[in-house]
């Protein structure tokens, strides 16, 4: 195919062959024959497959033509790497190689004092410090997210006695590190990709889990010099609208969220390692008995031998399974514990126990906010009144309350 | 003996008392058929031990060692990958909250219990079931137990989640232990061993300090069975009277080295120091709740009089 031009094929939507919105291309090949290719994008188990549903040969585009449907499946896999063990090249080197430095205990104590002096506690940022004119909430605002640790799973019950499996997420000591304004973010590599055809938004860099500066390199600690915070083990970026900007060093807690709201959780799935075809792709394998020789969990045939005469890209085979970025969308928050900074979320979350996840307001259109949430984030009341420690969703049975009678 | 090596981590006095009270469950060789009682048992049952003071001079209250048998669901799942101290602490707080509303008494496999559950489909809106506890498991809010009874010649087993808010009442009608930790063999036993009258009254124990061990040996029905009972070292079952080939195969398949495997035991249990911490955390609240219930009961009987 030499040149292809995109055309409108909406007339085909009525056909039952095309349940998903197809896109059409008109191509001219070397024999000057005009082809109308209707492609349907099909998601097939974690890989992007472009499936050519039909190739139709037309004599001319203007006159009505006979449609010869020649169903031909073409499978190509996008060649994007699914996982890497090294960070991207623009990140600074993070962890220090621990040298066996023989420091005397006095000197160690001195080093610790220096660190304490350098990172003396800052006064917490109050809500009144922020200028309020820009901070009106509207339904199109995107607030910051939060870094949390998946502590485990707890069973809770609703008011009608139905059991609900809830994931417990512990919001770590989050602090905003810096804000990247929309114009600057759109120039960066990731920002350019994300905002190629959209209006650019800003980016908040949030850090969690303060640690001893000794374990990190100087370049990594310099990221936190402006803010004056202890270097954080984990960093994350959250895309925010300019009216939801937070000043650096603002703490983010569990109160940032509202009980009953829907939330998206991003995490890396459980790493299963190198797995066979039965566990990885759900193949049935072979018979366990009846004389099957060495064919119990194998894949079987990997091609026809005729078409293309090779193994096609995307052929399902054993390989590394898990440790992939995934989002769980629309999970409902059923309980927030303000004292321990813990959120209980209905359902399960990608990743094993004690792994780090990112939580942010859902992008599912029907479950977004109708009323204003704590915007841009939650600040404890300045008159010293403590908030309610344990907030439950109205649907949930509180453990200290009497037993349910149906 | 393996268990003695584990026990030496406890302090001397505590170790002796707990070993004496639970002798049958621990030693596999000596099987005592009478409930063991010592003069100091009656005092130690519900009185917490006071640890000799720390360097600061404060006395630290430590829960009695029987707590790990009375309240086994407070101990978390030993699998190390899924443990998190904060989550366990929060779960314990929730468990205590639920216990303040409903009395979840001490029970063991072999005890006869009655459970009242809210049920929309019953005529009274409450369903009561009486049965013998054949198995118990789970940790935290997921703790469960199975009650078995034979109703109209049909064996019925119901699994109850201990912390489910639909449960209105849990009564222990007969508190005793059997010779095994799991009584699943009652499914293959003669029905009379699993039958308990549905209107059974709670039995009062003469001796409150020690939980009696019922040395009953159950007769099984003729084969086929649900499981290979001859491979399971069951103490509470009468002689199975099987042909010798069954016992030979059982010997071939047996793993006699497991009782010497220290690491296996370590991975299956929570270390003693952590157990002490957990129960010390929970102990005072449980005692308060028990005390309140006793007062309520006494006030109730006084009112009746």
């Amino acid at each position: 195919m030499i040149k292809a031009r995109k055309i409108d094929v909406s007339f085909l939507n009525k056909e039952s062959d095309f349940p998903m919105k197809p896109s059409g291309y008109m191509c001219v090949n070397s024999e000057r024959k005009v082809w109308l290719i209707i492609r349907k994008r099909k998601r097939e188990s974690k890989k992007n497959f472009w499936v050519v549903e039909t190739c139709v040969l037309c004599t001319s585009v203007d006159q009505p033509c006979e449609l010869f449907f020649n169903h031909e499946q073409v499978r190509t896999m996008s060649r994007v790497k699914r996982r890497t063990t090294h960070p991207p090249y623009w990140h600074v080197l993070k962890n220090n190689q621990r040298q066996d430095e023989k420091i005397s205990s006095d000197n160690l104590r001195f080093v610790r004092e220096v660190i304490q002096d350098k990172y003396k506690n800052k006064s917490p940022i109050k809500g009144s410090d922020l200028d309020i004119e820009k901070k009106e909430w509207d339904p199109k605002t995107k607030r910051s997210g939060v870094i949390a640790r998946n502590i485990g799973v707890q069973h809770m019950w609703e008011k009608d006695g139905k059991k609900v499996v809830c994931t417990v997420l512990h919001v770590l000591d989050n602090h905003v590190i810096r804000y990247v304004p929309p114009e600057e973010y759109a120039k960066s590599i990731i920002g350019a990709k994300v905002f190629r055809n959209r209006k650019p938004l800003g980016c908040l860099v949030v850090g969690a889990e303060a640690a001893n500066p000794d374990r990190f390199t100087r370049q990594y600690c310099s990221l936190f010099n402006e803010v004056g915070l202890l270097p954080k083990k984990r960093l994350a970026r959250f895309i925010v609208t300019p009216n939801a900007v937070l000043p650096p060093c603002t703490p983010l807690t569990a109160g940032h969220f509202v009980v009953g709201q829907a939330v998206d959780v991003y995490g890396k799935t459980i790493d299963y390692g190198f797995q066979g075809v039965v566990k990885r792709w759900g193949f049935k394998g072979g018979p366990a008995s009846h004389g099957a020789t060495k064919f119990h969990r194998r894949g079987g045939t990997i091609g026809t031998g005729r078409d293309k005469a090779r193994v096609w890209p995307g052929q399902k085979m054993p390989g590394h399974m898990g440790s992939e970025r995934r989002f769980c969308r629309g999970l409902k928050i059923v309980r927030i514990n303000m004292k321990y900074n813990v959120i209980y979320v209905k359902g399960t979350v990608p990743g094993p126990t004690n792994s780090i996840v990112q939580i942010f307001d859902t992008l599912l259109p029907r479950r977004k906010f109708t009323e204003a949430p704590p915007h841009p984030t939650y600040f404890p009341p300045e008159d010293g009144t403590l908030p309610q420690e344990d907030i439950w969703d109205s649907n949930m049975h509180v453990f200290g309350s009497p037993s349910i009678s149906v | 003996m393996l268990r003695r090596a584990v026990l030496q981590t406890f302090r001397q006095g505590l170790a002796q008392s707990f070993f004496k009270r639970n002798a049958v469950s621990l030693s596999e060789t000596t099987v005592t058929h009478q409930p063991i009682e010592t003069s100091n048992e009656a005092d130690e049952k519900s009185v917490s031990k006071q640890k000799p003071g720390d360097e600061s001079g404060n006395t630290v209250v430590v829960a009695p060692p029987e707590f790990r048998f009375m309240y086994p669901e407070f101990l978390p799942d030993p699998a190390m990958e899924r443990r998190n101290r904060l989550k366990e602490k929060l779960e314990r707080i929730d468990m205590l909250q639920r216990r303040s509303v409903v009395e979840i008494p001490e029970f063991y496999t072999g005890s006869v219990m009655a459970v009242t559950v809210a049920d929309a489909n019953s005529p009274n809106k409450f369903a009561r079931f009486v049965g013998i506890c054949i198995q118990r498991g789970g940790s935290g809010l997921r703790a469960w137990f199975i009650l078995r009874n034979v109703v109209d010649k049909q064996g019925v087993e119901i699994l109850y989640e201990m912390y489910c808010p639909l449960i209105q009442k849990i009564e222990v009608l007969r508190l005793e232990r059997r010779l095994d930790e799991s009584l699943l063999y009652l499914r293959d036993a003669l029905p009379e061993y699993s039958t308990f009258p549905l209107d059974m009254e709670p039995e009062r124990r003469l001796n409150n300090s020690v939980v009696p061990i019922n040395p009953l040996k159950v007769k099984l029905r003729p084969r086929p069975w649900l499981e290979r009972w001859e491979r399971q070292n069951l103490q509470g079952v009468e002689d199975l009277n099987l042909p010798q080939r069954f016992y030979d195969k059982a010997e071939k398949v047996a793993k006699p080295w497991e009782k010497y495997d220290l690491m296996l035991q370590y991975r299956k249990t929570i270390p003693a120091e952590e157990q002490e911490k957990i129960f010390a955390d929970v102990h005072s609240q449980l005692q308060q709740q028990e005390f309140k219930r006793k007062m309520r009961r006494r006030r109730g009987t006084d009112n009746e009089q």
Side-chain angles (χ1 to χ4, degrees):
Chain A
M1 308 294 163
I2 304 166
K3 277 183 196 159
R5 185 162 54 95
K6 197 166 179 183
I7 58 172
D8 176 34
V9 285
S10 48
F11 66 92
L12 290 168
N13 265 335
K14 297 162 203 158
E15 302 266 336
S16 57
D17 291 329
F18 304 95
M20 279 167 74
K21 208 165 104 180
S23 59
Y25 288 83
M26 188 182 77
C27 314
V28 180
N29 76 350
S30 48
E31 296 161 28
R32 309 308 295 176
K33 285 191 180 143
V34 177
W35 288 81
L36 171 68
I37 301 175
I38 296 131
R39 302 180 99 175
K40 188 177 90 179
R41 184 156 154 216
K42 197 162 104 175
R43 269 270 176 88
E44 212 178 273
S45 63
K46 303 174 195 178
K47 290 193 179 108
N48 274 327
F49 275 67
W50 281 91
V51 172
V52 173
E53 190 62 25
T54 57
C55 287
V56 178
L57 173 65
C58 319
T59 46
S60 88
V61 186
D62 303 317
Q63 292 158 17
C65 49
E66 288 168 20
L67 297 177
F68 297 97
F69 284 93
N70 176 24
H71 288 260
E72 197 183 83
Q73 254 204 28
V74 171
R75 284 184 285 170
T76 52
M77 189 178 95
S78 61
R79 293 288 184 168
V80 176
K81 271 196 185 166
R82 283 155 66 192
R83 55 180 91 72
T84 52
T85 45
H86 59 86
Y89 66 85
W90 60 82
H91 280 196
V92 288
L93 182 65
K94 182 174 167 188
N95 292 317
N96 239 345
Q97 292 276 355
R98 287 254 177 114
Q99 307 292 337
D100 197 13
E101 292 169 354
K102 293 180 174 58
I103 314 182
S104 67
S105 51
D106 281 336
N107 286 343
L108 257 181
R109 225 176 295 142
F110 176 70
V111 166
R112 252 178 255 147
E113 277 174 24
V114 165
I115 292 172
Q116 274 178 12
D117 279 335
K118 186 177 177 196
Y119 296 106
K120 249 187 252 197
N121 282 337
K122 288 191 142 188
S123 58
I125 294 189
K126 297 177 200 159
S128 51
D129 292 349
L130 309 173
D131 20 309
I132 305 167
E133 317 101 42
K134 300 184 214 163
K135 307 304 179 190
E136 284 298 312
W137 180 84
D138 62 80
K140 295 220 167 184
T141 348
K142 279 191 170 210
R143 295 193 303 161
S144 163
V146 131
I147 303 176
R149 174 174 278 137
N150 169 9
I151 286 184
V153 147
Q154 185 167 301
H155 292 196
M156 304 227 273
W157 284 268
E158 290 183 351
K159 283 214 161 106
D160 55 1
K162 188 173 153 212
K163 188 163 89 169
V164 152
V165 170
C166 298
T167 316
V168 189
L169 301 166
H170 178 216
V171 175
L172 306 168
D173 55 333
N174 287 293
H175 282 98
V176 172
I177 306 296
R178 69 175 169 277
Y179 171 63
V180 180
E183 309 81 32
E184 215 185 294
Y185 191 49
K187 289 184 203 157
S188 69
I189 300 165
I190 302 276
K193 260 195 235 174
V194 175
F195 298 118
R196 193 167 291 156
N197 299 320
R198 314 191 334 213
K199 186 175 154 209
L201 298 170
C203 165
L204 263 183
V205 179
V206 172
E209 244 193 306
N212 192 355
D214 280 348
R215 355 153 103 230
F216 304 119
T217 53
R218 185 173 298 185
Q219 302 95 318
Y220 187 76
C221 292
S222 66
L223 297 170
F224 304 90
N225 278 340
E226 266 184 37
V227 218
L229 286 169
L230 273 171
K232 304 281 192 184
K233 271 197 223 172
R234 281 281 179 159
L235 285 172
R237 284 171 174 244
F238 296 105
I239 298 187
V240 288
T241 46
N243 68 337
V245 169
L246 290 164
C249 214
T250 320
L252 295 165
T253 53
H256 181 75
F257 297 105
V258 175
V259 162
Q261 79 166 95
V263 121
D264 288 346
V265 180
Y266 154 78
K268 271 198 146 186
T269 50
I270 297 178
D271 192 351
Y272 291 98
F274 194 101
Q275 284 299 334
V277 115
V278 168
K279 194 180 179 87
R280 195 179 185 215
W281 298 115
F283 281 16
K284 293 195 77 182
S289 66
H290 290 302
T293 30
K294 307 201 287 190
F295 185 69
H296 307 292
R297 297 180 70 87
R298 299 190 67 177
T301 188
I302 55 175
T304 51
R306 286 233 165 205
D307 270 347
K308 307 284 180 190
R310 62 186 169 97
V311 177
W312 293 10
Q315 177 60 41
K316 294 176 181 176
M317 284 185 165
H320 191 271
M321 176 182 168
S323 184
E324 293 186 62
R325 307 167 32 118
R326 285 291 180 267
F327 294 82
C328 263
R329 306 273 184 202
L331 303 175
K332 185 174 165 198
I333 296 183
V334 291
R335 181 180 169 193
I336 296 182
N337 190 322
M338 301 287 270
K339 182 179 169 194
Y340 292 100
N341 257 341
V342 154
I343 300 175
Y344 292 74
V345 140
K346 184 174 174 180
T348 50
V349 131
T353 313
N354 293 322
S355 68
I356 303 286
V357 297
Q358 292 172 22
I359 318 172
F360 41 91
D361 302 331
T362 197
L363 56 74
L364 299 178
R366 285 199 203 162
R367 301 191 204 187
K368 285 194 174 164
F369 282 115
T370 42
E371 295 175 336
H375 177 80
T377 187
Y378 170 79
F379 293 105
E382 278 155 47
D383 47 6
T385 53
L386 295 166
Q388 196 188 352
E389 201 187 286
D390 214 345
I391 314 167
W392 292 74
D393 188 35
S394 53
N395 212 14
M396 302 299 291
H397 166 82
V398 181
F399 281 116
S401 61
S403 309
I404 299 170
S405 43
V406 181
Chain B
M1 257 227 67
L2 172 72
R3 300 274 183 163
R4 272 184 226 229
V6 170
L7 287 178
Q8 262 147 33
T9 56
F10 280 95
R11 260 158 249 101
Q12 192 73 19
L14 296 178
Q16 282 172 1
S17 69
F18 127 86
F19 183 71
K20 278 179 206 158
R21 187 173 197 260
N22 304 295
V24 177
S25 65
L26 292 179
S27 65
E28 276 121 29
T29 48
T30 55
V31 174
T32 46
H33 289 266
Q34 285 122 37
I36 299 127
E37 201 189 340
T38 46
S39 53
N40 45 1
E41 283 306 340
D43 299 328
E44 277 174 23
K45 210 260 169 168
S46 46
V47 169
S48 55
K49 276 284 184 199
Q50 294 241 301
K51 206 164 141 179
D54 305 328
E55 286 125 29
S56 53
N58 301 330
T59 46
V60 174
V61 174
V62 168
E66 298 92 46
F67 265 42
R68 61 132 85 164
F69 298 104
M70 284 161 65
Y71 308 108
E73 72 271 8
F74 280 98
L75 295 176
D77 189 3
M80 209 54 215
E81 303 91 40
R82 276 175 256 133
R83 287 202 58 192
N84 185 291
R85 304 296 185 273
L86 176 64
K87 187 242 176 185
E88 285 154 25
K89 183 175 175 181
L90 294 170
E91 204 167 13
R92 261 177 266 137
I93 294 172
D94 286 336
M95 286 159 76
L96 288 170
Q97 291 265 312
R98 176 71 189 148
R99 273 175 180 260
S100 69
V101 178
V102 158
E103 189 203 342
I104 301 176
E106 172 195 358
F107 67 95
Y108 304 91
T109 53
S111 319
V112 181
M113 300 161 65
V115 174
T116 325
V117 176
D119 187 6
N121 305 319
S122 301
N124 301 346
K125 302 290 178 191
F126 293 117
R128 185 173 190 261
F129 186 72
V130 171
I132 181 171
C133 175
I134 56 171
Q135 210 182 22
R136 104 182 255 189
S139 59
L141 289 165
R142 279 169 286 187
W144 51 265
F145 58 91
I146 305 181
L147 294 186
R148 181 187 165 81
N149 204 341
V150 175
V151 176
D152 281 348
K153 297 186 186 173
Q154 172 65 54
V156 174
E157 287 181 13
I158 304 186
L159 186 150
Y160 290 104
E161 301 204 305
M162 271 156 74
Y163 291 89
C164 179
L166 288 169
I167 292 183
Q168 311 296 314
K169 204 174 179 193
I170 304 178
E171 304 158 88
V172 172
L173 305 173
R174 188 192 301 161
L175 177 63
E176 64 177 14
R177 300 174 73 155
R178 291 286 185 96
L179 296 169
D180 298 302
E181 281 304 314
S182 146
L183 301 178
L184 292 174
Y185 53 77
L186 288 178
R187 293 169 181 166
D188 282 328
L190 299 170
E192 66 229 28
Y193 294 102
S194 316
T195 329
F196 298 92
L198 293 171
D199 52 0
M200 192 165 155
E201 293 287 325
E203 294 171 15
R204 298 196 71 186
R205 280 156 54 213
L206 301 161
N207 190 356
N208 255 342
S209 58
V210 167
V211 175
I213 300 167
N214 190 345
L216 179 64
K217 296 255 185 188
V218 155
K219 251 189 226 150
L220 295 187
R221 281 197 298 248
R223 272 194 312 121
W225 293 326
L226 289 165
E227 279 182 55
R228 292 176 167 145
W229 304 118
E230 71 276 4
R231 295 190 185 185
Q232 287 187 30
N233 291 334
L234 300 171
Q235 305 295 321
V237 169
E238 265 199 23
D239 191 24
L240 296 168
N241 282 329
L242 291 169
Q244 185 54 38
R245 57 191 164 91
F246 284 88
Y247 300 113
D248 292 339
K249 197 60 195 290
E251 265 184 45
K252 259 199 197 173
V253 155
K255 299 183 189 172
W257 58 85
E258 273 192 348
K259 67 178 185 227
Y260 305 112
D261 194 349
L262 276 175
M263 281 315 294
L264 188 71
Q265 281 303 312
Y266 181 75
R267 279 193 294 262
K268 275 193 199 167
T269 51
I270 308 286
E273 299 85 4
E274 269 211 70
Q275 283 194 27
E276 269 181 33
K277 264 194 221 166
I278 289 170
F279 286 121
D281 215 10
V282 136
H283 161 73
S284 57
Q285 288 221 27
L286 282 172
Q287 280 225 308
Q288 269 177 29
Q289 284 170 9
E290 231 193 271
F291 183 70
K292 274 187 200 160
R293 286 205 182 97
K294 265 192 198 158
M295 295 308 291
R296 234 177 277 156
R297 250 177 262 149
R298 255 180 232 165
R299 247 177 265 151
T301 48
D302 287 342
N303 286 344
E304 277 165 45
Q305 284 163 12

